[in-house]
PDB file of all heavy atoms in Angstrom:
ATOM      1  N   LYS B   1       9.486 -54.469  -5.706  1.00 88.00           N
ATOM      2  CA  LYS B   1      10.604 -54.788  -4.827  1.00 88.00           C
ATOM      3  C   LYS B   1      11.067 -56.237  -4.998  1.00 88.00           C
ATOM      4  O   LYS B   1      11.978 -56.655  -4.288  1.00 88.00           O
ATOM      5  CB  LYS B   1      10.218 -54.548  -3.368  1.00 88.00           C
ATOM      6  CG  LYS B   1       9.918 -53.108  -3.031  1.00 88.00           C
ATOM      7  CD  LYS B   1       9.570 -52.954  -1.576  1.00 88.00           C
ATOM      8  CE  LYS B   1       9.297 -51.502  -1.208  1.00 88.00           C
ATOM      9  NZ  LYS B   1       8.929 -51.334   0.204  1.00 88.00           N
ATOM     10  N   ASN B   2      10.436 -56.978  -5.884  1.00 87.00           N
ATOM     11  CA  ASN B   2      10.747 -58.388  -6.064  1.00 87.00           C
ATOM     12  C   ASN B   2      10.690 -59.152  -4.736  1.00 87.00           C
ATOM     13  O   ASN B   2      11.610 -59.959  -4.447  1.00 87.00           O
ATOM     14  CB  ASN B   2      12.099 -58.554  -6.735  1.00 87.00           C
ATOM     15  CG  ASN B   2      12.088 -58.247  -8.191  1.00 87.00           C
ATOM     16  OD1 ASN B   2      11.029 -58.026  -8.811  1.00 87.00           O
ATOM     17  ND2 ASN B   2      13.263 -58.220  -8.834  1.00 87.00           N
ATOM     18  N   THR B   3       9.663 -58.925  -3.984  1.00 92.00           N
ATOM     19  CA  THR B   3       9.581 -59.489  -2.654  1.00 92.00           C
ATOM     20  C   THR B   3       8.167 -60.019  -2.377  1.00 92.00           C
ATOM     21  O   THR B   3       7.184 -59.389  -2.756  1.00 92.00           O
ATOM     22  CB  THR B   3       9.936 -58.438  -1.596  1.00 92.00           C
ATOM     23  OG1 THR B   3      11.285 -57.954  -1.844  1.00 92.00           O
ATOM     24  CG2 THR B   3       9.907 -59.012  -0.199  1.00 92.00           C
ATOM     25  N   VAL B   4       8.121 -61.156  -1.755  1.00 93.00           N
ATOM     26  CA  VAL B   4       6.850 -61.710  -1.251  1.00 93.00           C
ATOM     27  C   VAL B   4       6.925 -61.779   0.274  1.00 93.00           C
ATOM     28  O   VAL B   4       7.986 -62.026   0.852  1.00 93.00           O
ATOM     29  CB  VAL B   4       6.548 -63.077  -1.862  1.00 93.00           C
ATOM     30  CG1 VAL B   4       7.640 -64.099  -1.489  1.00 93.00           C
ATOM     31  CG2 VAL B   4       5.164 -63.556  -1.486  1.00 93.00           C
ATOM     32  N   TYR B   5       5.783 -61.510   0.919  1.00 96.00           N
ATOM     33  CA  TYR B   5       5.769 -61.456   2.369  1.00 96.00           C
ATOM     34  C   TYR B   5       4.762 -62.468   2.915  1.00 96.00           C
ATOM     35  O   TYR B   5       3.821 -62.874   2.251  1.00 96.00           O
ATOM     36  CB  TYR B   5       5.321 -60.079   2.842  1.00 96.00           C
ATOM     37  CG  TYR B   5       6.168 -58.963   2.303  1.00 96.00           C
ATOM     38  CD1 TYR B   5       5.799 -58.235   1.199  1.00 96.00           C
ATOM     39  CD2 TYR B   5       7.359 -58.591   2.959  1.00 96.00           C
ATOM     40  CE1 TYR B   5       6.588 -57.202   0.692  1.00 96.00           C
ATOM     41  CE2 TYR B   5       8.126 -57.559   2.478  1.00 96.00           C
ATOM     42  CZ  TYR B   5       7.746 -56.887   1.370  1.00 96.00           C
ATOM     43  OH  TYR B   5       8.517 -55.863   0.865  1.00 96.00           O
ATOM     44  N   LEU B   6       5.024 -62.859   4.150  1.00 98.00           N
ATOM     45  CA  LEU B   6       4.073 -63.687   4.859  1.00 98.00           C
ATOM     46  C   LEU B   6       3.895 -63.036   6.256  1.00 98.00           C
ATOM     47  O   LEU B   6       4.775 -63.105   7.099  1.00 98.00           O
ATOM     48  CB  LEU B   6       4.534 -65.113   5.006  1.00 98.00           C
ATOM     49  CG  LEU B   6       3.538 -66.054   5.700  1.00 98.00           C
ATOM     50  CD1 LEU B   6       2.316 -66.258   4.854  1.00 98.00           C
ATOM     51  CD2 LEU B   6       4.195 -67.393   6.044  1.00 98.00           C
ATOM     52  N   GLN B   7       2.753 -62.395   6.444  1.00 98.00           N
ATOM     53  CA  GLN B   7       2.424 -61.830   7.738  1.00 98.00           C
ATOM     54  C   GLN B   7       1.779 -62.923   8.588  1.00 98.00           C
ATOM     55  O   GLN B   7       0.738 -63.466   8.215  1.00 98.00           O
ATOM     56  CB  GLN B   7       1.460 -60.647   7.568  1.00 98.00           C
ATOM     57  CG  GLN B   7       1.034 -60.000   8.881  1.00 98.00           C
ATOM     58  CD  GLN B   7       2.197 -59.366   9.616  1.00 98.00           C
ATOM     59  OE1 GLN B   7       2.998 -58.660   9.017  1.00 98.00           O
ATOM     60  NE2 GLN B   7       2.329 -59.628  10.903  1.00 98.00           N
ATOM     61  N   MET B   8       2.387 -63.215   9.712  1.00 98.00           N
ATOM     62  CA  MET B   8       1.967 -64.318  10.545  1.00 98.00           C
ATOM     63  C   MET B   8       1.462 -63.747  11.863  1.00 98.00           C
ATOM     64  O   MET B   8       2.249 -63.219  12.676  1.00 98.00           O
ATOM     65  CB  MET B   8       3.125 -65.275  10.803  1.00 98.00           C
ATOM     66  CG  MET B   8       3.843 -65.713   9.514  1.00 98.00           C
ATOM     67  SD  MET B   8       5.437 -66.505   9.828  1.00 98.00           S
ATOM     68  CE  MET B   8       4.924 -68.046  10.563  1.00 98.00           C
ATOM     69  N   ASN B   9       0.173 -63.829  12.109  1.00 98.00           N
ATOM     70  CA  ASN B   9      -0.456 -63.296  13.311  1.00 98.00           C
ATOM     71  C   ASN B   9      -0.997 -64.451  14.139  1.00 98.00           C
ATOM     72  O   ASN B   9      -1.284 -65.535  13.654  1.00 98.00           O
ATOM     73  CB  ASN B   9      -1.570 -62.361  12.962  1.00 98.00           C
ATOM     74  CG  ASN B   9      -1.093 -61.116  12.252  1.00 98.00           C
ATOM     75  OD1 ASN B   9       0.011 -60.639  12.461  1.00 98.00           O
ATOM     76  ND2 ASN B   9      -1.935 -60.542  11.360  1.00 98.00           N
ATOM     77  N   ASN B  10      -1.176 -64.168  15.416  1.00 98.00           N
ATOM     78  CA  ASN B  10      -1.700 -65.148  16.361  1.00 98.00           C
ATOM     79  C   ASN B  10      -0.962 -66.492  16.233  1.00 98.00           C
ATOM     80  O   ASN B  10      -1.593 -67.548  16.096  1.00 98.00           O
ATOM     81  CB  ASN B  10      -3.214 -65.330  16.128  1.00 98.00           C
ATOM     82  CG  ASN B  10      -3.874 -66.127  17.228  1.00 98.00           C
ATOM     83  OD1 ASN B  10      -3.350 -66.170  18.366  1.00 98.00           O
ATOM     84  ND2 ASN B  10      -4.994 -66.759  16.908  1.00 98.00           N
ATOM     85  N   LEU B  11       0.302 -66.415  16.320  1.00 98.00           N
ATOM     86  CA  LEU B  11       1.135 -67.612  16.120  1.00 98.00           C
ATOM     87  C   LEU B  11       0.880 -68.624  17.238  1.00 98.00           C
ATOM     88  O   LEU B  11       0.669 -68.258  18.400  1.00 98.00           O
ATOM     89  CB  LEU B  11       2.606 -67.261  16.075  1.00 98.00           C
ATOM     90  CG  LEU B  11       3.066 -66.666  14.742  1.00 98.00           C
ATOM     91  CD1 LEU B  11       4.350 -65.874  14.909  1.00 98.00           C
ATOM     92  CD2 LEU B  11       3.227 -67.751  13.713  1.00 98.00           C
ATOM     93  N   LYS B  12       0.980 -69.884  16.822  1.00 98.00           N
ATOM     94  CA  LYS B  12       0.758 -71.013  17.732  1.00 98.00           C
ATOM     95  C   LYS B  12       2.016 -71.889  17.803  1.00 98.00           C
ATOM     96  O   LYS B  12       2.777 -71.901  16.796  1.00 98.00           O
ATOM     97  CB  LYS B  12      -0.440 -71.838  17.287  1.00 98.00           C
ATOM     98  CG  LYS B  12      -1.737 -71.082  17.215  1.00 98.00           C
ATOM     99  CD  LYS B  12      -2.853 -71.975  16.676  1.00 98.00           C
ATOM    100  CE  LYS B  12      -4.155 -71.196  16.590  1.00 98.00           C
ATOM    101  NZ  LYS B  12      -5.230 -72.061  16.055  1.00 98.00           N
ATOM    102  N   PRO B  13       2.212 -72.598  18.870  1.00 97.00           N
ATOM    103  CA  PRO B  13       3.368 -73.515  18.897  1.00 97.00           C
ATOM    104  C   PRO B  13       3.400 -74.481  17.711  1.00 97.00           C
ATOM    105  O   PRO B  13       4.474 -74.845  17.267  1.00 97.00           O
ATOM    106  CB  PRO B  13       3.213 -74.244  20.215  1.00 97.00           C
ATOM    107  CG  PRO B  13       2.493 -73.274  21.091  1.00 97.00           C
ATOM    108  CD  PRO B  13       1.540 -72.547  20.174  1.00 97.00           C
ATOM    109  N   GLU B  14       2.241 -74.870  17.204  1.00 96.00           N
ATOM    110  CA  GLU B  14       2.142 -75.759  16.082  1.00 96.00           C
ATOM    111  C   GLU B  14       2.698 -75.136  14.815  1.00 96.00           C
ATOM    112  O   GLU B  14       2.949 -75.879  13.819  1.00 96.00           O
ATOM    113  CB  GLU B  14       0.705 -76.184  15.835  1.00 96.00           C
ATOM    114  CG  GLU B  14       0.023 -76.803  17.060  1.00 96.00           C
ATOM    115  CD  GLU B  14      -0.723 -75.744  17.849  1.00 96.00           C
ATOM    116  OE1 GLU B  14      -0.088 -75.130  18.750  1.00 96.00           O
ATOM    117  OE2 GLU B  14      -1.950 -75.555  17.611  1.00 96.00           O
ATOM    118  N   ASP B  15       2.890 -73.847  14.772  1.00 98.00           N
ATOM    119  CA  ASP B  15       3.451 -73.184  13.618  1.00 98.00           C
ATOM    120  C   ASP B  15       4.987 -73.307  13.566  1.00 98.00           C
ATOM    121  O   ASP B  15       5.612 -72.872  12.555  1.00 98.00           O
ATOM    122  CB  ASP B  15       3.087 -71.698  13.584  1.00 98.00           C
ATOM    123  CG  ASP B  15       1.586 -71.470  13.498  1.00 98.00           C
ATOM    124  OD1 ASP B  15       0.913 -72.180  12.737  1.00 98.00           O
ATOM    125  OD2 ASP B  15       1.103 -70.560  14.197  1.00 98.00           O
ATOM    126  N   THR B  16       5.581 -73.809  14.609  1.00 98.00           N
ATOM    127  CA  THR B  16       7.039 -73.941  14.668  1.00 98.00           C
ATOM    128  C   THR B  16       7.520 -74.840  13.549  1.00 98.00           C
ATOM    129  O   THR B  16       7.109 -75.994  13.425  1.00 98.00           O
ATOM    130  CB  THR B  16       7.455 -74.513  16.005  1.00 98.00           C
ATOM    131  OG1 THR B  16       7.155 -73.565  17.052  1.00 98.00           O
ATOM    132  CG2 THR B  16       8.978 -74.749  16.038  1.00 98.00           C
ATOM    133  N   ALA B  17       8.416 -74.308  12.719  1.00 98.00           N
ATOM    134  CA  ALA B  17       8.893 -75.004  11.557  1.00 98.00           C
ATOM    135  C   ALA B  17       9.926 -74.155  10.870  1.00 98.00           C
ATOM    136  O   ALA B  17      10.095 -72.947  11.169  1.00 98.00           O
ATOM    137  CB  ALA B  17       7.769 -75.379  10.596  1.00 98.00           C
ATOM    138  N   VAL B  18      10.583 -74.740   9.881  1.00 98.00           N
ATOM    139  CA  VAL B  18      11.359 -73.969   8.923  1.00 98.00           C
ATOM    140  C   VAL B  18      10.431 -73.524   7.824  1.00 98.00           C
ATOM    141  O   VAL B  18       9.741 -74.346   7.243  1.00 98.00           O
ATOM    142  CB  VAL B  18      12.536 -74.765   8.370  1.00 98.00           C
ATOM    143  CG1 VAL B  18      13.312 -73.962   7.342  1.00 98.00           C
ATOM    144  CG2 VAL B  18      13.477 -75.217   9.511  1.00 98.00           C
ATOM    145  N   TYR B  19      10.457 -72.278   7.523  1.00 98.00           N
ATOM    146  CA  TYR B  19       9.595 -71.716   6.503  1.00 98.00           C
ATOM    147  C   TYR B  19      10.406 -71.465   5.221  1.00 98.00           C
ATOM    148  O   TYR B  19      11.449 -70.804   5.292  1.00 98.00           O
ATOM    149  CB  TYR B  19       8.910 -70.440   6.970  1.00 98.00           C
ATOM    150  CG  TYR B  19       7.769 -70.732   7.897  1.00 98.00           C
ATOM    151  CD1 TYR B  19       8.010 -71.198   9.201  1.00 98.00           C
ATOM    152  CD2 TYR B  19       6.445 -70.593   7.494  1.00 98.00           C
ATOM    153  CE1 TYR B  19       6.965 -71.508  10.043  1.00 98.00           C
ATOM    154  CE2 TYR B  19       5.396 -70.876   8.361  1.00 98.00           C
ATOM    155  CZ  TYR B  19       5.642 -71.342   9.600  1.00 98.00           C
ATOM    156  OH  TYR B  19       4.613 -71.643  10.456  1.00 98.00           O
ATOM    157  N   TYR B  20       9.884 -71.938   4.112  1.00 98.00           N
ATOM    158  CA  TYR B  20      10.556 -71.821   2.847  1.00 98.00           C
ATOM    159  C   TYR B  20       9.723 -71.040   1.866  1.00 98.00           C
ATOM    160  O   TYR B  20       8.512 -71.194   1.789  1.00 98.00           O
ATOM    161  CB  TYR B  20      10.803 -73.214   2.210  1.00 98.00           C
ATOM    162  CG  TYR B  20      11.716 -74.123   3.023  1.00 98.00           C
ATOM    163  CD1 TYR B  20      11.181 -74.978   3.959  1.00 98.00           C
ATOM    164  CD2 TYR B  20      13.084 -74.099   2.826  1.00 98.00           C
ATOM    165  CE1 TYR B  20      12.006 -75.823   4.690  1.00 98.00           C
ATOM    166  CE2 TYR B  20      13.917 -74.934   3.540  1.00 98.00           C
ATOM    167  CZ  TYR B  20      13.376 -75.794   4.474  1.00 98.00           C
ATOM    168  OH  TYR B  20      14.190 -76.629   5.184  1.00 98.00           O
ATOM    169  N   CYS B  21      10.369 -70.209   1.102  1.00 97.00           N
ATOM    170  CA  CYS B  21       9.787 -69.541  -0.007  1.00 97.00           C
ATOM    171  C   CYS B  21      10.013 -70.381  -1.255  1.00 97.00           C
ATOM    172  O   CYS B  21      11.119 -70.894  -1.469  1.00 97.00           O
ATOM    173  CB  CYS B  21      10.400 -68.149  -0.189  1.00 97.00           C
ATOM    174  SG  CYS B  21       9.768 -67.170  -1.558  1.00 97.00           S
ATOM    175  N   ALA B  22       9.007 -70.548  -2.055  1.00 96.00           N
ATOM    176  CA  ALA B  22       9.065 -71.379  -3.287  1.00 96.00           C
ATOM    177  C   ALA B  22       8.382 -70.667  -4.429  1.00 96.00           C
ATOM    178  O   ALA B  22       7.379 -69.948  -4.242  1.00 96.00           O
ATOM    179  CB  ALA B  22       8.516 -72.750  -3.056  1.00 96.00           C
ATOM    180  N   ALA B  23       8.874 -70.904  -5.624  1.00 94.00           N
ATOM    181  CA  ALA B  23       8.300 -70.260  -6.816  1.00 94.00           C
ATOM    182  C   ALA B  23       8.286 -71.236  -7.975  1.00 94.00           C
ATOM    183  O   ALA B  23       9.065 -72.157  -8.073  1.00 94.00           O
ATOM    184  CB  ALA B  23       9.174 -69.013  -7.198  1.00 94.00           C
ATOM    185  N   ARG B  24       7.372 -70.946  -8.888  1.00 92.00           N
ATOM    186  CA  ARG B  24       7.317 -71.695 -10.128  1.00 92.00           C
ATOM    187  C   ARG B  24       6.768 -70.786 -11.203  1.00 92.00           C
ATOM    188  O   ARG B  24       6.054 -69.834 -10.962  1.00 92.00           O
ATOM    189  CB  ARG B  24       6.437 -72.947 -10.013  1.00 92.00           C
ATOM    190  CG  ARG B  24       4.961 -72.718  -9.874  1.00 92.00           C
ATOM    191  CD  ARG B  24       4.184 -74.020  -9.954  1.00 92.00           C
ATOM    192  NE  ARG B  24       2.741 -73.847 -10.028  1.00 92.00           N
ATOM    193  CZ  ARG B  24       1.909 -74.795 -10.328  1.00 92.00           C
ATOM    194  NH1 ARG B  24       2.344 -76.032 -10.619  1.00 92.00           N
ATOM    195  NH2 ARG B  24       0.584 -74.569 -10.367  1.00 92.00           N
ATOM    196  N   LYS B  25       7.150 -71.082 -12.453  1.00 88.00           N
ATOM    197  CA  LYS B  25       6.735 -70.279 -13.559  1.00 88.00           C
ATOM    198  C   LYS B  25       5.306 -70.524 -13.971  1.00 88.00           C
ATOM    199  O   LYS B  25       4.666 -69.641 -14.560  1.00 88.00           O
ATOM    200  CB  LYS B  25       7.673 -70.553 -14.756  1.00 88.00           C
ATOM    201  CG  LYS B  25       9.082 -70.078 -14.548  1.00 88.00           C
ATOM    202  CD  LYS B  25       9.934 -70.296 -15.790  1.00 88.00           C
ATOM    203  CE  LYS B  25      10.244 -71.740 -15.962  1.00 88.00           C
ATOM    204  NZ  LYS B  25      11.236 -71.972 -17.074  1.00 88.00           N
ATOM    205  N   LEU B  26       4.772 -71.662 -13.724  1.00 85.00           N
ATOM    206  CA  LEU B  26       3.406 -72.013 -14.087  1.00 85.00           C
ATOM    207  C   LEU B  26       2.431 -71.123 -13.314  1.00 85.00           C
ATOM    208  O   LEU B  26       2.609 -70.891 -12.126  1.00 85.00           O
ATOM    209  CB  LEU B  26       3.130 -73.477 -13.851  1.00 85.00           C
ATOM    210  CG  LEU B  26       3.846 -74.483 -14.721  1.00 85.00           C
ATOM    211  CD1 LEU B  26       3.572 -75.882 -14.231  1.00 85.00           C
ATOM    212  CD2 LEU B  26       3.417 -74.298 -16.179  1.00 85.00           C
ATOM    213  N   ALA B  27       1.388 -70.743 -13.985  1.00 82.00           N
ATOM    214  CA  ALA B  27       0.367 -69.959 -13.344  1.00 82.00           C
ATOM    215  C   ALA B  27      -0.498 -70.821 -12.416  1.00 82.00           C
ATOM    216  O   ALA B  27      -0.716 -72.013 -12.706  1.00 82.00           O
ATOM    217  CB  ALA B  27      -0.528 -69.276 -14.377  1.00 82.00           C
ATOM    218  N   GLY B  28      -0.940 -70.246 -11.326  1.00 88.00           N
ATOM    219  CA  GLY B  28      -1.789 -70.972 -10.416  1.00 88.00           C
ATOM    220  C   GLY B  28      -1.006 -71.558  -9.242  1.00 88.00           C
ATOM    221  O   GLY B  28       0.138 -72.010  -9.445  1.00 88.00           O
ATOM    222  N   VAL B  29      -1.595 -71.567  -8.084  1.00 91.00           N
ATOM    223  CA  VAL B  29      -0.962 -72.048  -6.870  1.00 91.00           C
ATOM    224  C   VAL B  29      -1.202 -73.523  -6.732  1.00 91.00           C
ATOM    225  O   VAL B  29      -2.352 -74.016  -6.746  1.00 91.00           O
ATOM    226  CB  VAL B  29      -1.503 -71.325  -5.618  1.00 91.00           C
ATOM    227  CG1 VAL B  29      -0.918 -71.926  -4.367  1.00 91.00           C
ATOM    228  CG2 VAL B  29      -1.208 -69.833  -5.728  1.00 91.00           C
ATOM    229  N   SER B  30      -0.113 -74.288  -6.606  1.00 94.00           N
ATOM    230  CA  SER B  30      -0.175 -75.691  -6.260  1.00 94.00           C
ATOM    231  C   SER B  30       0.202 -75.864  -4.792  1.00 94.00           C
ATOM    232  O   SER B  30       1.035 -75.160  -4.269  1.00 94.00           O
ATOM    233  CB  SER B  30       0.757 -76.522  -7.130  1.00 94.00           C
ATOM    234  OG  SER B  30       0.863 -77.848  -6.651  1.00 94.00           O
ATOM    235  N   ARG B  31      -0.443 -76.829  -4.116  1.00 95.00           N
ATOM    236  CA  ARG B  31      -0.143 -77.112  -2.735  1.00 95.00           C
ATOM    237  C   ARG B  31       0.879 -78.238  -2.559  1.00 95.00           C
ATOM    238  O   ARG B  31       1.210 -78.597  -1.452  1.00 95.00           O
ATOM    239  CB  ARG B  31      -1.433 -77.482  -1.972  1.00 95.00           C
ATOM    240  CG  ARG B  31      -2.399 -76.334  -1.876  1.00 95.00           C
ATOM    241  CD  ARG B  31      -3.724 -76.727  -1.251  1.00 95.00           C
ATOM    242  NE  ARG B  31      -4.591 -75.543  -1.147  1.00 95.00           N
ATOM    243  CZ  ARG B  31      -5.025 -75.044  -0.003  1.00 95.00           C
ATOM    244  NH1 ARG B  31      -4.765 -75.645   1.146  1.00 95.00           N
ATOM    245  NH2 ARG B  31      -5.787 -73.945   0.003  1.00 95.00           N
ATOM    246  N   LEU B  32       1.421 -78.711  -3.667  1.00 95.00           N
ATOM    247  CA  LEU B  32       2.424 -79.789  -3.657  1.00 95.00           C
ATOM    248  C   LEU B  32       3.823 -79.196  -3.794  1.00 95.00           C
ATOM    249  O   LEU B  32       4.119 -78.505  -4.769  1.00 95.00           O
ATOM    250  CB  LEU B  32       2.163 -80.766  -4.778  1.00 95.00           C
ATOM    251  CG  LEU B  32       0.755 -81.412  -4.799  1.00 95.00           C
ATOM    252  CD1 LEU B  32       0.624 -82.315  -6.014  1.00 95.00           C
ATOM    253  CD2 LEU B  32       0.566 -82.223  -3.532  1.00 95.00           C
ATOM    254  N   PHE B  33       4.670 -79.472  -2.794  1.00 94.00           N
ATOM    255  CA  PHE B  33       5.994 -78.876  -2.843  1.00 94.00           C
ATOM    256  C   PHE B  33       6.823 -79.334  -4.030  1.00 94.00           C
ATOM    257  O   PHE B  33       7.728 -78.619  -4.499  1.00 94.00           O
ATOM    258  CB  PHE B  33       6.755 -79.135  -1.492  1.00 94.00           C
ATOM    259  CG  PHE B  33       7.207 -80.545  -1.291  1.00 94.00           C
ATOM    260  CD1 PHE B  33       8.422 -80.979  -1.811  1.00 94.00           C
ATOM    261  CD2 PHE B  33       6.437 -81.413  -0.549  1.00 94.00           C
ATOM    262  CE1 PHE B  33       8.840 -82.290  -1.574  1.00 94.00           C
ATOM    263  CE2 PHE B  33       6.849 -82.712  -0.348  1.00 94.00           C
ATOM    264  CZ  PHE B  33       8.074 -83.130  -0.852  1.00 94.00           C
ATOM    265  N   ARG B  34       6.524 -80.532  -4.539  1.00 95.00           N
ATOM    266  CA  ARG B  34       7.262 -81.047  -5.675  1.00 95.00           C
ATOM    267  C   ARG B  34       6.968 -80.291  -6.979  1.00 95.00           C
ATOM    268  O   ARG B  34       7.675 -80.467  -7.925  1.00 95.00           O
ATOM    269  CB  ARG B  34       6.945 -82.535  -5.891  1.00 95.00           C
ATOM    270  CG  ARG B  34       7.465 -83.425  -4.746  1.00 95.00           C
ATOM    271  CD  ARG B  34       7.135 -84.864  -5.003  1.00 95.00           C
ATOM    272  NE  ARG B  34       7.679 -85.739  -3.966  1.00 95.00           N
ATOM    273  CZ  ARG B  34       7.043 -85.999  -2.849  1.00 95.00           C
ATOM    274  NH1 ARG B  34       5.839 -85.522  -2.627  1.00 95.00           N
ATOM    275  NH2 ARG B  34       7.584 -86.819  -1.947  1.00 95.00           N
TER     276      ARG B  34
END
C-alpha cells in the first residue's frame, strides 16, 4: 500500500506536537532529522 503507520497508544499531553513522516534511501534508521 506504500504506507507507513504509527499506532499511538496511551497518549500523554507531552506527545502533543506536529508529527512528520520522513524517508531516506540509505539503509538503517537514523535518529537525526537532518
Side-chain angles (χ1 to χ4, degrees):
K1 297 180 179 179
N2 284 353
T3 302
V4 63
Y5 304 96
L6 184 68
Q7 179 65 46
M8 310 165 70
N9 296 328
N10 191 24
L11 282 160
K12 302 177 180 179
E14 306 92 272
D15 298 319
T16 296
V18 178
Y19 283 72
Y20 297 91
C21 180
R24 70 173 188 167
K25 292 183 288 187
L26 293 173
V29 175
S30 170
R31 294 175 177 241
L32 302 177
F33 72 86
R34 294 180 178 87

